[in-house]
């Protein structure tokens, strides 16, 4: 029996780029010659809904609602006869929406750029309540071009329609999540199960019509549903429910980020009315064993980290003795079957880093499985996806990048690592430069001291445009308690190195960590204010601490001064844990002030406000010196090079001119070396002998060479020809070259 797999991401994740889980699995299955088809049902539902035909149907559904003043009866899924003035306005302007929707979607797909000029005149799109925020954002458009402004206006237009759908048609709708409330740490399956017994909603029907076509066309034997987030859970179950009802012979399995974190103690048998299997952690080996189990006639089947139902009871089977695949064996992510030219770029907010998640098509890759640090106490470090660290060789990463560029036509890469390792980032950057690849990439990092000025310059030269990293709580006491392995001062220096290299920096910020005092929250805000004021941070976001079951705080709460409110493990999801903090502080009340201040700091304003101005309740004065970050950045860098440091030259070959200089009857020959940088040309002067050695050495240490040379090797080479390497290394000519691409890594 030949197996055919169909893998989907159910609605909704991102509109601008596919979530990569199914592409990773398809890439692996290719290495096994197993036929598979994938689909991102999220973008397909959105495109069907946000089209002229989709909106015609939407408005038709609402036309019988007496609340719109159009007669009696009510067909909408939301039983609400009181419709807001905003929805009435959108309904009244339906002809304008029908006229503009297809051109707007085409524009957001990057196929109709000239429409930007018309959108920006602000008399083309119908406007409802979302456009009320425009006056507040007008000043922000000073830094946005016409295309960006048009994207933002078009996004507001789509959000207006979304508001209409939520109020009048389907209360669970949301662009990047659907019925998320039903999936968020639902310890009990009851509420979700009850929702699934109800009649399908308007959005469900669109989803199921697309799914029906695909199932009939593909006729799979195994249906894989990836559920990365709580917002995908409801539609995953709806999809599985429909397939179970109409194609009971198709076996259905769930995997992905949500089950990996939330469903590790699953015991509710009702879940298996919808799914045959639920697998945990890396999917390659579990799926291979599922294929064997589905096709095998053996009585004792082998499973890898798989929940299933036996004799009416949920059992966890992990009886396969086969090891997981190494990262070098899992193949290149394969994006075929996905509608790569149909994704839409939106600009929801003016946060410069957040827009990268929603704007532009990115190929997703992973530099390393797991986290090389693996100690942060708020993180799920007990789970394999964090705990098992395995990097991918730089040359193999570059091979995969070139394959994906050839397949997708896209040169942009988002490395979705927990924390990309600095040494691997260095090796990858060197390999990209050696191969002369023109790529754009960004990733998540730890702000550790390995990110020197020169490493940041190398990363920038290879195409790195942005990094995001956890500053978390900007307090050295709490960073130590978190076991972050960094200090605020160190973070400031690393962010300075990236910023000066031209790489944008986004900081994840946290408040409400166990035992955090009000004073520490205020001091943390002051640190963040100073980091933005001196210009070393460009973007950030505050998250409130959440205790999770698989983190050190969740596993050993007594060590962190917190008490779990309940020890009971739910029969369904089990990750977020309610707790009480020994400080008794209500951290929720800080949320608005922290986020409002950050929004202003990101736009370079309000640094002179008192911290008290951001809160409507009394806070203590900060204990942080007003120049703490500025002073930390004044410290001289250590220019001593380690003997093992790699010396790399990013520039080109110089032109040479030898001339004679005379003074007091003595003559000696000098050399002028002229270099042409991408932006400018510059010259240095040395003695003829030093110049000749330097020209030869620059060829050896050029980034295009496979072999790298260490500081010790360069020094030894110099000293076989000339004397006093240190005097030469710290001379003005070398200092000039250091500014133009002579790197010590």
């Amino acid at each position: 029996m030949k197996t055919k797999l169909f893998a989907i991401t159910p609605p909704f994740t991102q509109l601008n780029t596919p979530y990569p889980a199914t592409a990773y699995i398809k890439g692996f299955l290719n290495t096994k010659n197993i036929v598979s088809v994938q689909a991102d049902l999220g973008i397909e539902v959105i495109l069907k809904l946000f089209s002229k035909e989709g909106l015609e149907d939407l408005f038709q559904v609402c036309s019988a609602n007496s609340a719109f003043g159009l007669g009696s009866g009510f067909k909408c899924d939301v039983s609400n006869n009181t419709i807001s003035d905003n929805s009435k306005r959108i309904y009244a302007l339906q002809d304008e929406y029908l006229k503009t929707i297809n051109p707007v979607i085409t524009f957001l797909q990057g196929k109709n750029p000239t429409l930007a000029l018309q959108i920006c005149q602000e008399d083309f799109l119908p406007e409802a309540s979302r456009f009320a925020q425009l006056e507040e954002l007008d000043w922000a458009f000073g830094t946005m071009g016409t295309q960006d402004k048009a994207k933002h206006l078009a996004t507001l237009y789509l959000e207006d329609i979304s508001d209409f759908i939520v109020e009048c048609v389907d209360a669970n709708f949301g662009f990047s999540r659907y019925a998320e409330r039903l999936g968020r740490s639902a310890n009990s399956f009851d509420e979700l199960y009850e929702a699934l017994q109800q009649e399908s909603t308007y959005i469900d029907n669109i989803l199921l019509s697309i799914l029906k076509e695909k199932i009939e066309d593909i006729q799979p034997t195994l249906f894989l549903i990836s559920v990365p987030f709580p917002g995908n859970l409801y539609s995953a179950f709806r999809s599985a429910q429909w397939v179970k009802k109409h194609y009971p012979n198709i076996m259905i399995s769930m995997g992905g980020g949500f089950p990996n974190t939330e469903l590790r103690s699953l015991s509710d048998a009702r879940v298996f009315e919808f799914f045959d299997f639920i697998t945990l952690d890396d999917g390659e080996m579990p799926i291979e064993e599922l294929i064997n189990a589905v096709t095998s006639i053996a009585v004792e089947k082998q499973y890898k980290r798989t929940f299933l139902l036996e004799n009416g009871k949920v059992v966890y089977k992990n009886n396969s003795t086969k090891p997981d695949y190494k990262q070098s064996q899992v193949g290149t992510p394969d994006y075929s079957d996905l509608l790569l030219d149909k994704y839409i770029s939106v600009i929801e907010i003016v946060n410069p880093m957040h827009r990268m998640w929603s704007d532009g098509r990115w190929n997703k890759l992973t530099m390393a499985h797991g986290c090389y640090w693996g100690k942060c106490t708020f993180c799920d470090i007990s789970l394999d996806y964090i705990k098992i660290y395995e990097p991918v060789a730089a040359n193999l990463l570059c091979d995969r990048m070139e394959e994906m560029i050839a397949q997708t036509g896209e040169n942009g890469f988002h490395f979705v690592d927990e924390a990309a390792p600095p040494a691997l980032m260095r090796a990858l950057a060197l390999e990209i430069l050696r191969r002369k690849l023109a790529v754009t990439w960004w990733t998540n990092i730890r702000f550790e001291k390995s990110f020197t000025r020169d490493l940041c310059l190398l990363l920038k030269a290879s195409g790195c445009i942005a990094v995001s990293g956890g500053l978390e709580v900007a307090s050295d006491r709490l960073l130590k308690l978190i076991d972050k392995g960094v200090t605020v001062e160190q973070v400031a220096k690393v962010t300075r190195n990236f910023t000066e290299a031209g790489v944008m920096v986004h900081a994840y910020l946290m408040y409400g960590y166990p035992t955090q005092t009000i004073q520490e929250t205020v001091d943390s805000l002051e640190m963040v204010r100073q980091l933005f004021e001196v210009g070393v941070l460009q973007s950030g976001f505050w998250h409130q601490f959440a205790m999770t079951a698989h983190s050190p705080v969740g596993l050993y709460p007594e060590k962190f001064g917190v008490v779990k409110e309940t020890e009971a493990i739910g029969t369904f999801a089990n990750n977020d844990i309610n707790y009480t903090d020994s400080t008794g502080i209500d951290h929720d009340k800080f949320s608005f002030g922290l986020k409002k201040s950050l929004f202003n700091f990101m736009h370079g304003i309000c640094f002179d406000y008192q911290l008290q101005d951001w809160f409507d309740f009394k806070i203590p004065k900060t204990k942080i010196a007003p120049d703490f970050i500025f002073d930390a950045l004044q410290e001289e860098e250590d220019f001593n090079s380690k003997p093992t440091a790699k010396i790399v030259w990013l520039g080109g070959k110089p032109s040479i001119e030898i001339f004679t200089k005379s003074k007091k009857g003595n003559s000696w020959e000098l050399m002028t070396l002229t270099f042409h940088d991408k932006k400018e040309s510059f010259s240095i002067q040395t003695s003829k002998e030093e110049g000749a050695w330097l020209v030869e050495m620059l060829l050896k240490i050029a980034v295009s060479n496979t072999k790298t040379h260490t500081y010790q090797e360069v020094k030894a080479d110099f000293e076989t020809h000339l004397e006093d390497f240190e005097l030469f290394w710290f001379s003005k000519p070398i200092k000039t070259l250091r500014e133009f691409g002579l790197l010590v890594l």
Side-chain angles (χ1 to χ4, degrees):
M1 174 181 169
K2 187 140 182 165
T3 312
K4 191 170 189 182
L5 280 84
F6 178 37
I8 67 162
T9 306
F12 294 106
T13 45
Q14 290 175 271
L15 303 179
N16 65 310
T17 200
Y19 193 77
T22 60
Y24 277 45
I25 290 300
K26 185 176 175 70
F28 164 71
L29 293 170
N30 291 344
T31 69
K32 300 291 173 184
N33 295 317
I34 295 170
V35 178
S36 66
V37 181
Q38 64 182 325
D40 176 359
L41 296 191
I43 192 64
E44 298 202 32
V45 169
I46 289 292
L47 293 175
K48 196 159 185 179
L49 179 60
F50 288 88
S51 65
K52 185 178 180 184
E53 296 74 18
L55 291 192
E56 280 174 341
D57 190 52
L58 179 73
F59 289 125
Q60 184 62 37
V61 164
C62 295
S63 65
N65 181 5
S66 59
F68 285 109
L70 296 160
S72 60
F74 187 60
K75 289 189 197 171
C76 302
D77 295 333
V78 178
S79 49
N80 170 16
N81 286 319
T82 310
I83 300 296
S84 69
D85 289 342
N86 188 59
S87 287
K88 287 177 182 175
R89 172 178 171 76
I90 291 171
Y91 184 83
L93 287 167
Q94 61 180 281
D95 286 346
E96 292 300 322
Y97 284 100
L98 293 174
K99 183 176 89 173
T100 52
I101 187 65
N102 284 354
V104 166
I105 291 296
T106 309
F107 165 70
L108 290 174
Q109 289 171 332
K111 300 171 188 168
N112 189 13
T114 54
L115 191 69
L117 300 166
Q118 207 167 355
I119 291 174
C120 287
Q121 289 177 353
E122 296 184 34
D123 61 356
F124 176 71
L125 298 179
E127 298 181 5
S129 63
R130 292 286 183 153
F131 285 78
Q133 63 186 275
L134 264 185
E135 285 182 19
E136 298 172 28
L137 292 178
D138 262 350
W139 54 271
F141 289 137
T143 59
M144 297 173 89
T146 302
Q147 292 289 321
D148 282 353
K149 182 176 180 180
K151 274 186 193 175
H152 186 64
L153 294 171
T155 304
L156 297 178
Y157 161 91
L158 294 183
E159 287 177 338
D160 274 336
I161 301 172
S162 173
D163 291 342
F164 180 84
I165 293 168
V166 170
E167 183 178 0
C168 304
V169 178
D170 192 333
N172 284 323
F173 180 71
F175 277 122
S176 58
R177 54 195 62 83
Y178 184 59
E180 185 172 34
R181 179 185 57 80
L182 295 171
R184 276 202 178 281
S185 268
N187 290 54
S188 165
F189 187 49
D190 291 349
E191 191 179 358
L192 180 54
Y193 189 74
E194 187 180 328
L196 292 163
Q197 306 314 307
Q198 308 302 313
E199 196 175 329
S200 298
T201 68
Y202 183 81
I203 303 297
D204 290 345
N205 290 334
I206 295 176
L207 164 65
L208 298 177
S209 69
I210 295 169
L211 181 63
K212 179 176 185 288
E213 280 180 31
K214 292 188 180 295
I215 293 288
E216 287 173 354
D217 179 45
I218 298 162
Q219 298 190 346
T221 45
L222 186 56
F223 182 34
L224 306 175
I225 305 181
S226 174
V227 184
F229 307 114
N232 304 92
L233 189 68
Y234 168 81
S235 50
F237 272 87
R238 262 298 182 217
S239 301
Q241 181 185 46
W242 186 89
V243 172
K244 270 273 166 273
K245 180 179 177 182
H246 295 93
Y247 293 89
N249 293 333
I250 296 175
M251 306 300 278
I252 309 176
S253 178
M254 181 205 296
F258 182 85
N260 289 351
T261 52
E262 301 273 356
L263 301 184
R264 302 188 81 89
S265 52
L266 178 67
S267 62
D268 195 319
R270 293 175 297 173
V271 170
F272 293 89
E273 294 174 24
F274 307 84
F275 291 92
D276 298 290
F277 312 105
I278 294 178
T279 64
L280 301 182
D281 302 325
D282 292 354
E284 291 85 5
M285 184 53 75
I287 288 170
E288 188 174 24
E289 290 291 49
L290 281 188
I291 294 167
N292 293 335
V294 167
T295 56
S296 167
I297 56 170
V299 178
E300 181 62 28
K301 298 180 190 294
Q302 304 295 304
Y303 296 98
K304 191 85 172 175
R305 297 188 298 274
T306 301
F307 284 108
L308 57 141
L309 205 63
E310 275 189 357
N311 303 318
K313 298 277 187 190
V314 179
V315 295
Y316 179 68
K317 287 285 184 80
N318 195 22
N319 57 346
S320 169
T321 56
K322 294 179 184 175
D324 279 300
Y325 284 94
K326 298 288 186 191
Q327 290 302 296
S328 59
Q329 301 170 306
V330 296
T332 301
D334 182 347
Y335 283 88
S336 57
D337 313 323
L338 298 175
L339 310 178
L340 296 183
D341 61 337
K342 300 284 178 68
Y343 284 84
I344 60 176
S345 285
V346 294
I347 299 181
E348 300 171 60
I349 44 179
V350 194
N351 180 317
M353 191 69 170
H354 280 192
R355 66 168 287 184
M356 290 177 68
W357 271 279
S358 61
D359 185 14
R361 260 274 301 117
W362 299 99
N363 293 319
K364 308 267 186 173
L365 262 179
T366 311
M367 284 191 215
H369 180 285
C371 178
Y372 70 95
W373 180 249
K375 296 179 184 177
C376 298
T377 54
F378 60 82
C379 186
D380 292 339
I381 59 175
S382 65
L383 299 184
D384 285 352
Y385 82 94
I386 302 277
K387 184 171 64 176
I388 298 174
Y389 172 65
E390 185 196 338
V392 179
N395 61 342
L396 180 55
L397 275 174
C398 265
D399 289 345
R400 289 176 179 174
M401 290 171 78
E402 292 192 271
E403 280 182 58
M404 291 168 78
I405 291 168
Q407 185 192 70
T408 67
E410 297 287 349
N411 289 51
F413 289 85
H414 176 198
F415 289 97
V416 293
D417 291 63
E418 299 299 321
L424 182 51
M425 289 175 74
R426 179 182 72 178
L428 176 64
L430 288 169
E431 188 67 20
I432 288 170
L433 290 164
R434 278 188 201 114
R435 297 191 189 194
K436 297 181 172 60
L437 296 182
V439 294
T440 303
W441 61 276
W442 55 293
T443 191
N444 194 44
I445 62 160
R446 288 181 63 250
F447 292 121
E448 58 168 86
K449 58 178 180 285
S450 307
F451 290 109
T452 60
R453 168 193 172 276
D454 281 15
L455 177 53
C456 293
L457 287 168
L458 176 76
L459 298 175
K460 167 67 175 172
S462 73
C464 179
I465 56 164
V467 293
S468 55
L471 170 53
E472 318 307 356
V473 182
S475 149
D476 286 343
R477 180 189 80 84
L478 290 166
L479 284 170
K480 194 171 180 183
L481 189 62
I482 288 172
D483 205 359
K484 193 74 190 172
V486 299
T487 63
V488 178
E489 194 172 317
Q490 183 180 310
V491 170
K493 290 175 179 174
V494 170
T495 56
R496 184 263 319 271
N497 292 342
F498 275 112
T499 299
E500 289 183 352
V503 178
M504 183 170 69
V505 186
H506 173 88
Y508 296 107
L509 305 162
M510 186 189 292
Y511 63 102
Y513 191 80
T515 74
Q516 182 172 357
T517 64
I518 291 174
Q519 184 68 58
E520 284 172 323
T521 300
V522 171
D523 290 347
S524 191
L525 173 57
E526 172 60 15
M527 291 288 204
V528 171
R529 185 195 70 78
Q530 290 186 29
L531 287 164
F532 277 97
E533 187 176 33
V534 300
V536 297
L537 265 190
Q538 293 77 52
S539 176
F541 191 79
W542 286 103
H543 304 255
Q544 188 166 355
F545 169 78
M547 185 196 285
T548 58
H550 312 289
S551 67
V553 180
L555 294 168
Y556 315 107
E558 64 285 348
K559 290 184 180 178
F560 299 89
V562 292
V563 177
K564 291 182 184 178
E565 285 185 2
T566 172
E567 281 291 343
I569 293 177
T571 57
F572 186 54
N574 175 43
N575 194 34
D576 286 7
I577 299 170
N578 293 330
Y579 67 96
T580 53
D581 189 335
S582 58
T583 62
I585 296 167
D586 175 17
H587 294 289
D588 288 350
K589 66 181 181 180
F590 287 94
S591 177
F592 182 77
L594 290 173
K595 289 173 182 175
K596 185 179 180 183
S597 60
L598 184 63
F599 181 83
N600 285 279
F601 297 159
M602 279 194 293
H603 291 97
I605 58 174
C606 300
F607 295 123
D608 55 344
Y609 277 37
Q610 296 297 311
L611 298 187
Q612 179 64 69
D613 295 342
W614 301 113
F615 302 96
D616 57 6
F617 54 89
K618 188 73 177 157
I619 61 165
K621 280 189 162 57
T622 182
K623 292 185 176 179
I624 304 299
D627 293 325
F628 178 88
I629 298 295
F630 179 83
D631 291 343
L633 296 176
Q634 300 315 300
E635 289 182 21
E636 287 294 320
E637 279 193 58
D638 181 11
F639 286 106
N640 290 327
S641 301
K642 291 181 181 175
T644 54
K646 288 179 167 58
I647 311 297
V648 174
W649 171 237
L650 297 181
K653 190 178 178 182
S655 56
I656 298 165
E657 183 187 343
I658 298 170
F659 64 98
T660 304
K661 193 168 184 179
S662 301
K663 193 173 183 182
K664 295 183 180 178
N666 294 318
S667 297
W668 62 94
E669 288 186 304
L670 295 174
M671 187 182 284
T672 299
L673 286 74
T674 301
F675 297 84
H676 300 284
D677 186 47
K678 276 187 282 191
K679 287 187 176 179
E680 57 186 298
S681 301
F682 66 96
S683 298
I684 61 172
Q685 274 187 9
T686 66
S687 70
K688 181 184 173 184
E689 295 75 21
E690 287 175 344
W693 176 86
L694 183 59
V695 170
E696 193 178 321
M697 182 50 68
L698 289 177
L699 287 173
K700 289 180 182 176
I701 62 173
V703 72
S704 54
N705 288 338
T706 308
K707 185 182 184 318
T708 55
H709 292 72
T710 65
Y711 177 84
Q712 185 62 46
E713 289 169 340
V714 172
K715 181 175 186 285
D717 190 288
F718 182 91
E719 290 174 346
T720 59
H721 303 86
L722 302 154
E723 293 179 356
D724 207 342
F725 176 72
E726 278 76 13
L727 189 65
F728 176 69
W729 186 249
F730 292 105
S731 65
K732 187 178 177 183
I734 297 298
K735 190 177 179 185
T736 301
L737 289 181
R738 292 291 304 273
E739 292 171 8
F740 285 93
L742 179 60
L743 305 181
V744 180
L745 303 166

